[in-house]
């Protein structure tokens, strides 16, 4: 259903009881449509309705809106499409909040805006202010179908980051996908209860299996992933962002889930930006609270 | 035994302590570790750290009602079983969880994470050897209760494990139920997998979990290991309520064991005491362990729990009298040392010659109870100087496992005795040949085949024990044979080559980053020493004990040529020492390896071999632990100071401390060299191995060898204790934050109390018991002390010498 601004708000899709939506901002560029296959697959996975918004100052007819967002009626069948006015980032974030969107799915940058270290300004603002997770898709991605078979979840070993595994595991559960937890042995988290790569490996034949078991036990206890989700732990070393990218490529991951505290703050910004700029697959970024 | 119940008024905030078996936790903060609140992710660490153990059994500090991360376990020392599911052939036996007890108030289970925690703390009472838990809680329905638990593994009666709870219902009167589910213990984690497999119900291959009803309300759980050891656990419960003391329980057999329930009516503000005892006996010490365990329970009930608790506390008091170290001026260091000593005491059992101490003591599943060289090099000095019978028992374990050591040597085409790198009850090698590494690659594990220094380490420990205790009976019965058979091994392991030197090739030293090296300095120096002691042993036996010598030499079929061969091999052993630089080369070719600037990794907490990769690590000078520093520590009193200094300064910056054994020995050596800031830094690093709350190191159990290393750092490092043939010398160097250090040591049936002050630098030695002995300070005056006399030496700052006070 296509709804232009000012039209009735009585769409059955938006009524109470249909709160699971995924928000897909499309700026009218061809680049932006790269997010569409990912968004529709995610919507199907989480049983949500795709909700496309286009922010513009120019009133468009339904046909004009379709033409602008460069998607065919067949492609958007079953989706909500709206045009809205205002500052794009503000509108996107507000809409996601008002509609309790599960995710915002969008491209990392639009054609029309200057890049901000690989990210568009709108994306940067959305990342910093959105109350729901944001899935970012490289505009260069092919427009073919996207299927979630393997999620990569980088985890620094802190309780907070382990708690965040739940959402990723839930997606893995729905998709019957494999969840790969990546621990990059680099920085010691300062949060009490953190479990970093073992500082002392007296006998590797004992230490590593014990450590892996402990790491996964904490993930299961804190993140409550569904029991049937297979979780594999991969340990890497070196530059964190680079290791995430390399592991994502090596394992042919379909989605990297970054749970970030203080998103884009100076300490975490480098890692996130590195991953965002060169990730081999879409990235889901969620805010987590607490910890260090 | 007195049974009594008291009723308190509504709104009481604590249990009626008059019903408690013990008055309460020790209040002095230097005698206790406290975990306030509850951090779920730390649960495995806390359970390890708060373990109560007595050398026979160890009980992790788990919550009786469990949590999402509870891993309760009671380990039984020296009893191993085969687990075909595991990559390791033998694992230390874990008993069914006797501590489990779920309380239901008005049918609602009391859980820490449900409702509101008003107060929760766990206290490890180091002084009394008791795990305490104080908890006040309001459940979701509003029931408010207070709860105090104590748990101990009796040091007075090592078969007895006891847990007692005082439960007060503050605002509720009605039904209360205690539910205990006895089932097979949780298995050891599957080895060598980085994947989580679907959790399978593990059916213990050996536990018989029927509860056998008994007229005295006992339940018996029986297990038989694959090697035929019978384990009996007799369980008995006592619920003291206002209505009576002998509540009938209901027994419900379930698929994985049985559930036992006690139900009672509890009045408003009433306190009820719930006590469970578990008595463990095995066929190793009793012909009929079931009967022995049940009779033992009856004895305990006759004597009364209070008397049992008092005896336990008394045993700890006695043990602390000879083991305690007091530090003035640094509360954290004080607590660290007491924590170390607490676990060391709890790990050893003087009554069991068939058990040794695994890498995690009796505190965790990691290492599966396997015994390494750590026991002899890092732990034994503590026992030898504070409780010689325990040290002797540990060495007797090695004596009893000599046949397996001989078998291993034969299997590798050597003579003599080569001890297993990983040893269990039989002494046979249990090191796996490969394991999955952290990045998922299969890695060959060569330590079981190539790490041989353990044989010399055990001989070293035998000799040290004998020197410290003068226990000739042990030496003649067991020690001499260990020294001779290990010396014989080294004579066959080292080969005379064209350069006229004996070489040991294809070896791994304690620095396991470098495998299959030639002439590892630690190995060769220890082998040289072992060969020399072999020759000395033969000379001694011949002259002092001709009869035992005749018998032993015949049994070992020692030839006339062997001592000469050993002497030659020792004299010509390639030990890599350069008299010009005063440096030992860690192994042949080490000095040619690439330098890595470890300062680039300073502050990092990851193992350096993971950061650099295995190949790059092997091609570099980066060390897991400095082998040269390690033998400098062992022979600190023999090497001139300039050699100690040169080697420490060379190797210390190149050591990544990827081994938990490393920091404490570096603290010791830095202290001996007078580098006190560095010594303090390493002491703290060693303390943090288990006690840091952000590393998770202790989840699989405490690092018992690191704790032994802390004791050595304090006594051999900061106090500078040195063994002489006729007594003990000291070279004190206290850290800036320590104003005083005092402790007691046993030496050849004598007791010497040591008190050291930092400023003014002063040492007081009091001969408390036994024959006279020589004491003094290094490079200072010595005196022969009679019992009851003191030696007091003060440092004259301007003259830079020690002077002895009159008297």
């Amino acid at each position: 259903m296509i709804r232009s601004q000012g039209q009735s708000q009585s769409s059955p899709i938006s009524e109470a009881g249909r709160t699971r939506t995924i928000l897909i901002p499309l700026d009218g560029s061809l680049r932006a449509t790269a997010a569409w296959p990912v968004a529709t697959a995610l919507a199907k996975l989480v049983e949500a309705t795709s909700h496309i918004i286009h922010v513009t100052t120019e009133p468009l007819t339904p046909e004009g809106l379709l033409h602008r967002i460069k998607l065919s009626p067949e492609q958007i069948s079953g989706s909500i499409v709206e045009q809205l006015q205002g500052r794009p980032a503000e509108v996107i974030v507000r809409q996601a909040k008002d509609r309790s969107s599960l995710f915002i799915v969008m491209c990392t940058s639009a054609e029309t805006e200057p890049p901000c270290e690989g990210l568009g300004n709108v994306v940067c603002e959305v990342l910093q202010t959105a109350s729901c997770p944001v899935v970012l898709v490289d505009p260069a991605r092919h427009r073919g179908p996207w299927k979630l078979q393997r999620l990569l979840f980088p985890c620094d070993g802190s309780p907070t980051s382990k708690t965040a595994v739940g959402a990723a595991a839930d997606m893995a559960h729905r998709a019957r996908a494999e969840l790969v937890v990546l621990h990059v042995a680099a920085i010691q988290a300062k949060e009490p209860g953190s479990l970093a790569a073992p500082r002392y490996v007296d006998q590797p034949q004992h230490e590593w299996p014990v450590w892996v078991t402990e790491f996964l036990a904490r993930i299961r206890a804190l993140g409550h992933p569904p029991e049937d989700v297979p979780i594999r732990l991969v340990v890497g070393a070196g530059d964190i962002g680079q290791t995430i990218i390399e592991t994502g490529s090596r394992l042919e991951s379909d989605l990297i889930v970054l749970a970030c505290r203080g998103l884009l703050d100076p300490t975490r910004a480098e890692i996130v930006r590195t991953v965002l700029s060169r990730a081999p697959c879409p990235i889901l970024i969620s805010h987590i609270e607490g910890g260090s | 035994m007195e049974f009594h119940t008291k009723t308190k008024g509504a709104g009481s905030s604590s249990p009626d302590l008059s019903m408690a078996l013990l008055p309460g936790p020790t209040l002095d903060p230097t005698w206790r570790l406290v975990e306030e609140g509850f951090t779920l992710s730390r649960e495995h660490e806390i359970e390890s750290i708060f373990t109560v153990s007595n050398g026979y059994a160890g009980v992790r500090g788990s919550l009786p009602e469990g949590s999402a991360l509870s891993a309760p376990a009671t380990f039984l020392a020296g009893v191993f079983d085969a687990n075909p599911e595991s990559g390791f052939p033998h694992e230390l036996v874990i008993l069914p969880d006797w501590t489990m007890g779920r309380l239901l108030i008005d049918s609602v289970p009391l859980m820490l994470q449900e409702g509101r925690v008003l107060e929760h703390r766990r206290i490890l009472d180091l002084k009394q050897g008791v795990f305490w838990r104080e908890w006040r809680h309001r459940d979701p329905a509003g029931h408010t209760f207070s709860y105090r638990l104590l748990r101990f593994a009796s040091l007075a009666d090592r078969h007895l494990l006891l847990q007692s709870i005082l439960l007060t219902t503050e605002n509720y009167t009605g039904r209360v139920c205690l539910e205990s589910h006895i089932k097979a213990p949780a298995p050891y984690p599957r080895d060598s997998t980085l994947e989580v497999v679907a959790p399978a119900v593990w059916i213990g291959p050996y536990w018989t979990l029927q509860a056998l009803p008994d007229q005295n309300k006992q339940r018996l759980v029986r297990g038989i290991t694959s090697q035929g050891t019978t384990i009996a656990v007799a369980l008995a419960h006592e619920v003291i309520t206002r209505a009576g003391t002998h509540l009938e329980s209901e027994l419900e057999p379930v698929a994985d064991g049985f559930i036992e329930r006690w139900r009672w009516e509890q009045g408003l503000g009433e306190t009820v005491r719930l006590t469970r005892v578990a008595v463990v006996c095995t066929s190793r010490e009793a012909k009929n362990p079931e009967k022995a365990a049940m009779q033992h329970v009856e004895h305990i009930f006759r004597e009364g729990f209070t008397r049992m608790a008092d005896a336990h506390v008394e045993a700890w008091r006695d043990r602390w009298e000879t083991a305690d170290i007091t530090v003035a001026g640094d509360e954290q260091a004080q607590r660290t040392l007491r924590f170390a000593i607490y676990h060391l005491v709890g790990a050893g059992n003087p009554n069991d010659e068939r058990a040794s101490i695994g890498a995690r003591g009796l505190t965790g599943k990691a290492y599966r109870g396997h015994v390494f060289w750590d026991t002899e090099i890092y732990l034994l000095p503590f026992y030898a100087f504070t409780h010689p019978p325990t040290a002797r028992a540990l060495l007797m374990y090695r004596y009893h496992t000599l046949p397996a050591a001989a078998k291993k040597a034969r299997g590798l085409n050597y003579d003599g005795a080569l001890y297993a790198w990983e040893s269990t009850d039989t002494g046979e090698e249990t090191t796996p040949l490969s394991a999955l590494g952290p990045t998922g690659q299969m890695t060959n594990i060569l330590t079981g085949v190539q790490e041989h220094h353990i044989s010399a380490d055990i001989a070293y420990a035998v000799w040290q024990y004998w020197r410290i205790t003068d226990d000739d009976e042990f030496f003649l019965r067991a020690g001499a044979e260990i020294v001779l058979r290990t010396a014989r091994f080294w004579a066959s392991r080292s080969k005379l080559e064209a350069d006229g030197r004996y070489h040991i090739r294809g070896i791994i030293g304690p620095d396991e980053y470098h495998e299959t090296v030639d002439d590892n300095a630690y190995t060769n120096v220890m082998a040289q020493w072992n060969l020399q002691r072999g020759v000395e042993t033969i000379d001694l036996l011949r002259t002092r004990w001709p009869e035992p010598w005749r018998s032993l030499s015949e049994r070992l079929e020692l030839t006339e040529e062997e001592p000469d061969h050993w002497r030659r091999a020792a004299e010509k052993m390639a030990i890599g020492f350069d008299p010009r630089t005063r440096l030992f080369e860690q192994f042949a070719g080490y000095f040619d390896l690439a330098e890595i600037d470890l300062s680039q990794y300073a502050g990092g907490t990851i193992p350096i071999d993971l950061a650099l990769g295995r190949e790059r690590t092997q091609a570099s000078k980066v060390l897991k632990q400095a082998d040269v520093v390690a033998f400098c520590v062992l022979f600190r009193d023999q090497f001139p100071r300039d050699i100690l200094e040169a080697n420490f300064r060379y190797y210390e910056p190149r050591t990544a401390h990827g081994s938990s054994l490393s920091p404490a020995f570096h603290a010791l050596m830095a202290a001996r060299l007078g580098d006190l800031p560095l010594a303090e830094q390493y002491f703290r690093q060693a303390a943090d191995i288990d006690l840091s709350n952000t590393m998770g190191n202790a989840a699989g159990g405490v690092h018992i060898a690191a704790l032994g290393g802390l004791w050595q750092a304090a006594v051999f490092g900061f106090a500078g204790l040195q063994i002489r043939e006729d007594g003990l010398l000291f070279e004190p160097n206290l850290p800036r934050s320590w104003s005083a250090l005092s402790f007691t040591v046993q030496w050849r049936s004598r007791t010497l109390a040591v008190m050291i002050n930092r400023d003014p630098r002063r040492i007081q030695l009091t001969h408390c018991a036994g024959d006279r002995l020589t004491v003094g300070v290094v490079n200072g005056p010595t005196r022969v002390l009679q019992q009851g006399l003191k030696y007091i030496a003060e440092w004259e700052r301007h003259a830079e010498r020690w002077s002895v006070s009159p008297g």
Side-chain angles (χ1 to χ4, degrees):
Chain A
M1 169 177 234
I2 300 174
R3 193 172 70 228
S4 294
Q5 194 170 39
Q7 283 188 287
S8 165
Q9 298 290 307
S10 61
S11 162
I13 292 173
S14 62
E15 290 300 305
R18 301 297 301 273
T19 56
R20 297 174 78 89
T21 65
I22 286 184
L23 196 73
I24 307 139
L26 296 175
D27 66 358
S29 68
L30 192 58
R31 293 164 62 91
T33 61
W36 180 247
V38 177
T40 53
L42 274 175
K44 190 175 174 188
L45 193 64
V46 298
E47 297 172 21
T49 300
S50 300
H51 188 146
I52 300 166
I53 59 169
H54 174 65
V55 184
T56 179
T57 53
E58 172 193 3
L60 296 169
T61 63
E63 293 73 22
L65 180 58
L66 267 183
H67 185 259
R68 174 67 62 84
I69 62 175
K70 297 181 174 54
L71 292 174
S72 68
E74 293 74 25
Q75 282 178 299
I76 63 162
S77 175
S79 304
I80 303 170
V81 183
E82 282 185 302
Q83 56 174 304
L84 301 164
Q85 289 187 343
R87 285 188 61 244
E90 279 179 14
V91 172
I92 293 167
V93 169
R94 189 174 62 244
Q95 285 294 311
K97 188 177 179 187
D98 290 350
R99 298 176 186 283
S100 302
S101 296
L102 297 173
F103 307 110
I104 299 167
V105 184
M106 61 195 299
C107 275
T108 49
S109 67
E111 198 169 26
T112 51
E113 59 180 354
C116 162
E117 294 190 49
L119 292 180
N121 287 323
V122 173
V123 171
C124 277
E125 194 175 333
V126 168
L127 282 175
Q128 285 169 321
T129 55
S131 55
C132 66
V134 180
V135 178
L136 295 176
V137 182
D138 184 348
R141 184 188 180 277
H142 62 82
R143 300 315 192 252
W146 178 82
K147 189 176 179 190
L148 184 58
Q149 293 176 304
R150 183 171 294 125
L151 289 88
L152 184 67
F153 179 79
C155 177
D156 68 4
S158 65
T160 305
S161 72
K162 284 177 174 166
T163 303
V165 81
D170 186 57
M171 288 177 71
H173 170 69
R174 288 170 180 272
R176 297 180 183 278
E178 180 187 31
L179 177 60
V180 178
V181 174
L182 169 66
H183 177 69
V184 185
I187 302 170
Q188 167 75 53
K190 292 186 174 67
E191 188 181 342
S194 295
L195 182 72
R199 171 77 177 79
Y200 304 98
V201 181
D202 293 326
Q203 299 294 316
Q205 65 271 28
H206 289 277
E207 296 283 355
W208 284 115
V210 166
W211 180 79
V212 167
T213 303
E214 179 67 21
F215 199 97
L216 292 176
R218 292 189 188 197
I219 276 186
R220 288 202 175 272
L222 297 174
H224 306 291
E227 283 290 329
D228 62 347
V229 173
I231 303 179
R232 182 152 57 111
L233 180 62
V234 172
V235 179
D239 178 81
I240 298 173
Q242 190 59 35
T243 306
I244 293 170
I245 292 166
E246 286 170 4
T247 308
S249 296
R250 182 167 58 83
L251 299 178
E252 297 180 340
S253 301
D254 303 298
L255 185 68
I256 296 172
V257 180
L258 291 179
C260 304
R261 302 180 194 85
L263 192 65
L264 299 184
D265 71 16
T267 55
R268 302 275 163 180
E270 193 58 40
I271 297 169
V272 176
R273 288 199 175 111
T274 301
V275 176
L276 286 173
S277 62
R278 282 181 286 148
C281 61
I283 305 156
L284 187 155
I285 299 179
S286 63
H287 292 267
I288 52 176
E289 292 178 0
S292 57
Chain B
M1 181 166 57
E2 286 183 17
F3 295 133
H4 58 278
T5 305
K6 283 196 175 177
T7 303
K8 296 179 72 179
S12 300
S13 61
S14 63
D16 177 2
L17 299 182
S18 68
M19 295 173 71
L21 299 183
L22 291 170
T26 303
L27 296 176
D28 182 341
T30 64
W31 280 105
R32 53 193 238 161
L33 260 69
V34 181
E35 174 70 5
E36 290 280 354
F38 180 73
T39 305
L40 178 63
S41 58
R42 292 201 68 209
E43 197 54 16
H44 289 169
E45 301 161 50
I46 298 300
E47 289 177 337
S48 301
I49 291 166
F50 285 64
T51 292
V52 290
S53 59
N54 60 16
Y56 182 80
V59 189
R60 283 167 65 80
S62 308
L63 304 174
E65 74 278 9
S67 73
L69 265 177
S70 286
T74 298
F75 300 97
L76 192 54
V79 184
F80 289 80
D81 200 20
N83 180 359
E85 292 286 308
S86 161
F88 292 91
H90 288 101
E91 296 167 339
L92 193 65
V93 160
I94 300 174
L95 303 180
D97 181 24
W98 65 278
T99 65
M100 190 272 169
R102 200 165 68 132
L103 283 160
L104 297 98
I105 293 184
D106 200 17
S107 302
V108 179
L110 296 181
M111 299 295 290
L112 196 55
Q113 291 178 287
E114 289 170 22
R116 187 173 161 211
V117 178
L118 304 174
E119 195 178 330
H120 187 256
R121 75 180 57 82
R122 278 174 280 185
I123 302 166
L124 183 63
D125 186 336
L126 307 169
K127 190 172 193 177
Q128 303 189 91
V130 174
F131 166 72
W132 299 90
R133 181 189 187 197
E134 296 172 342
W135 182 20
R136 194 161 168 262
H137 197 86
R138 183 169 300 138
D139 74 8
H143 304 113
T144 304
F145 70 92
S146 53
Y147 170 113
R148 174 182 274 192
L149 173 146
L150 70 83
R151 180 189 297 161
F152 62 80
S154 175
L155 199 64
D157 172 1
R158 291 176 198 264
H159 297 277
L160 169 62
L161 311 172
L162 186 146
Q163 173 173 288
S164 186
I165 296 167
L166 295 181
L167 177 75
T168 304
T169 42
E170 293 187 14
N171 64 353
Y172 168 75
T173 177
R175 292 194 67 78
V176 179
C177 176
L178 172 65
E179 187 176 274
S180 173
H181 184 178
I182 298 294
K183 58 185 176 181
Y188 282 89
R190 280 169 59 92
D191 173 50
S192 301
T193 176
L194 297 184
E195 295 184 5
V196 167
V197 292
V201 176
W202 183 77
I203 301 167
Y206 49 84
W207 288 106
T208 310
L209 291 166
Q210 307 98 316
L212 304 179
D214 179 272
Q215 58 181 352
N216 293 325
K217 312 299 176 200
Q218 293 188 40
R219 307 295 176 195
L220 185 73
V221 174
R222 183 173 46 215
I224 299 177
T225 70
S226 54
Q227 289 160 313
T229 302
T230 299
I231 305 157
V233 185
L235 301 167
H237 231 103
E238 181 198 69
V239 181
I240 303 183
T241 68
R242 184 166 47 187
T245 61
H246 292 290
L247 290 182
E248 292 291 333
S249 66
E250 305 157 13
L251 200 63
E252 179 192 348
V254 289
D256 59 352
F258 61 86
I259 296 174
E260 195 163 12
R261 293 186 184 87
W262 293 261
R263 299 179 200 276
W264 66 92
E265 289 286 327
Q266 190 156 339
L268 189 65
E270 184 185 358
T271 295
V272 168
R273 191 178 81 190
L274 320 160
T275 304
R276 161 164 278 189
V277 294
V279 168
V280 187
C281 288
T282 77
S283 54
R284 296 160 79 242
E285 68 268 355
K287 271 190 177 174
N288 185 337
E290 296 95 332
K291 189 176 172 186
M294 295 184 87
Q295 286 178 343
H296 204 115
V297 169
E298 288 171 15
H299 161 76
I300 288 162
F301 269 81
R302 277 197 306 274
E303 292 291 314
F305 300 147
T306 305
R307 186 172 291 184
M308 294 294 122
D310 289 345
H312 165 73
V313 171
E314 186 65 28
W316 270 99
R317 188 178 300 130
D318 289 348
R319 196 68 182 80
W320 279 114
E321 269 188 23
T322 59
D324 191 21
I325 294 179
T326 62
V327 175
D330 187 336
E331 191 174 302
Q332 192 177 342
Q334 172 68 87
R335 195 163 35 243
T336 294
L337 281 167
R338 285 191 171 138
F339 171 73
I341 294 166
Y342 166 84
H343 277 295
L344 290 166
V345 170
N349 182 358
N351 305 323
D352 192 351
E353 292 184 356
R354 299 278 173 177
S356 187
I357 300 172
R360 296 289 187 266
L362 296 168
T363 67
K365 286 182 180 175
Y367 288 77
R368 297 158 200 262
H370 291 192
V371 180
F372 295 78
W373 69 302
D374 317 15
T375 311
E376 282 72 25
I377 296 300
Y378 290 84
L379 305 183
L380 201 105
F382 164 77
Y383 299 111
F385 274 112
T386 66
H387 201 254
T390 303
R392 179 187 165 117
L394 292 172
L395 294 171
M396 288 305 295
Y397 161 82
R398 293 300 193 181
Y399 176 70
H400 293 307
T401 53
L402 263 174
K407 182 179 163 191
K408 181 177 175 183
R410 276 198 306 277
L412 294 172
N413 294 319
Y414 300 120
D415 300 328
L418 172 57
Y419 281 96
W421 180 243
E422 297 190 26
S423 183
T424 58
D425 49 353
T426 64
E428 292 187 5
E429 185 59 77
T430 53
T431 310
L433 294 173
S434 61
L436 271 181
T439 52
Q441 82 290 3
M442 188 61 80
T443 306
N444 291 331
I445 302 297
L446 301 177
T447 44
V449 181
Q450 292 189 4
E451 196 153 355
H452 295 169
H453 60 82
I454 185 168
S455 275
D457 300 331
I458 291 166
Y460 178 89
V462 164
W463 201 264
Q464 292 303 306
Y465 168 78
W466 186 41
R467 286 182 77 199
I468 294 164
T469 64
D470 222 8
D471 184 352
D472 291 342
E473 195 276 329
F474 161 78
F475 190 69
L476 292 174
R477 183 179 160 208
E481 185 172 341
I482 292 174
V483 173
L484 294 176
R485 292 176 76 168
T486 49
R488 179 180 265 174
F489 163 73
W490 291 114
S492 68
R493 183 64 181 83
S494 55
K495 300 294 179 200
L496 180 63
E497 297 188 7
D499 62 355
R501 315 290 295 181
Y502 280 78
H503 296 272
I504 298 176
R505 300 197 181 275
I507 201 84
I508 301 176
D511 162 38
E512 287 132 354
Y513 287 166
H514 298 94
E515 299 170 320
T516 324
V517 299
D518 295 334
D519 292 328
N520 168 260
Y522 180 91
T523 306
N524 288 26
V525 166
M526 293 300 286
Q528 180 185 54
W529 178 92
N530 199 164
L531 289 161
Q532 289 166 341
R533 295 296 78 73
V535 173
E536 190 176 341
T537 298
I538 290 172
D539 292 343
L540 271 167
L541 290 174
R542 271 185 176 139
T543 53
R544 284 175 63 183
W545 295 290
E547 272 309 310
W549 160 244
R550 230 185 321 276
S551 163
L552 183 59
S553 60
E554 282 175 16
R555 189 153 54 79
L556 299 185
E557 298 178 343
L558 277 164
T559 65
E560 288 296 322
E561 295 76 33
E562 277 186 276
D564 288 338
H565 177 194
W566 298 359
R567 193 176 289 112
R568 280 198 308 278
E571 282 170 4
K572 300 292 183 187
M573 185 67 70
I575 56 170
F577 180 66
D578 181 345
R580 189 179 50 84
T581 61
R582 314 297 276 166
L583 291 178
F584 288 91
E585 188 172 27
Q586 171 116 349
F587 52 83
Y590 173 82
F591 288 146
D592 299 328
L593 296 179
E595 291 281 5
I596 297 280
D597 181 7
L598 282 179
S599 65
Q600 290 179 14
Y601 302 89
T605 58
I606 63 169
I608 198 75
D609 59 334
L610 184 62
L612 296 177
R614 198 178 190 197
E615 284 182 13
R616 193 173 165 213
T617 305
Q618 287 179 335
S620 77
K621 288 183 180 173
V622 174
L623 302 175
K624 182 177 179 180
Q625 54 190 323
D627 294 1
V628 174
V629 171
F631 73 73
C632 283
V633 165
L634 299 183
F635 301 116
R636 59 195 172 274
D637 305 337
Q638 281 89 60
F639 287 123
R641 184 189 168 92
D642 68 320
I643 290 182
L644 299 179
E645 182 91 42
N647 284 280
F648 183 74
R649 298 301 174 197
Y650 182 84
Y651 285 106
E652 189 267 335
R654 292 170 173 82
T655 303
H657 306 289
S659 163
S660 67
L661 308 177
S662 191
F665 265 21
H666 277 70
L668 191 165
M669 185 50 70
R672 289 301 286 268
L673 295 173
D675 189 342
L676 297 176
L678 192 60
E680 269 193 283
Q681 177 194 312
Y682 278 121
F683 186 87
R684 279 196 297 272
Q685 186 177 338
D688 275 349
I689 290 171
D690 285 324
L691 295 177
S692 161
N693 67 358
T694 59
M695 293 171 78
N697 288 325
V702 302
H703 295 67
I704 196 75
L707 300 178
L710 280 167
W711 184 89
Q712 292 194 51
V715 173
F716 299 148
F718 295 127
L721 184 152
Q722 298 186 16
I723 306 168
R724 293 286 189 265
E725 284 313 310
D726 57 348
L728 299 171
L729 298 186
F730 294 84
E731 190 176 17
N733 265 318
L734 298 194
R736 182 169 289 274
S737 59
W738 298 18
S739 57
L741 168 69
S742 52
F743 57 90
T744 302
V745 288
Q746 310 291 307
W747 189 80
R748 300 186 183 177
S749 304
R750 298 149 174 97
T751 303
L752 186 71
V754 182
M755 287 180 64
I756 298 166
N757 273 24
R758 190 180 64 82
D759 190 15
R761 200 175 173 200
R762 179 180 186 274
I763 181 165
Q764 175 181 302
L765 305 169
T766 308
H767 188 343
C768 304
D771 296 339
R772 63 187 190 172
L773 83 162
T774 302
V775 297
V777 287
V778 175
N779 299 323
T782 60
R783 294 285 186 275
V784 176
L785 275 193
Q786 305 278 4
Q787 184 178 334
L789 294 183
K790 285 182 170 58
Y791 167 100
I792 300 170
E794 291 177 349
W795 180 252
E796 293 180 31
R797 197 187 302 265
H798 300 298
E800 293 201 333
R801 66 177 183 197
W802 291 97
S803 66
V804 177
S805 300

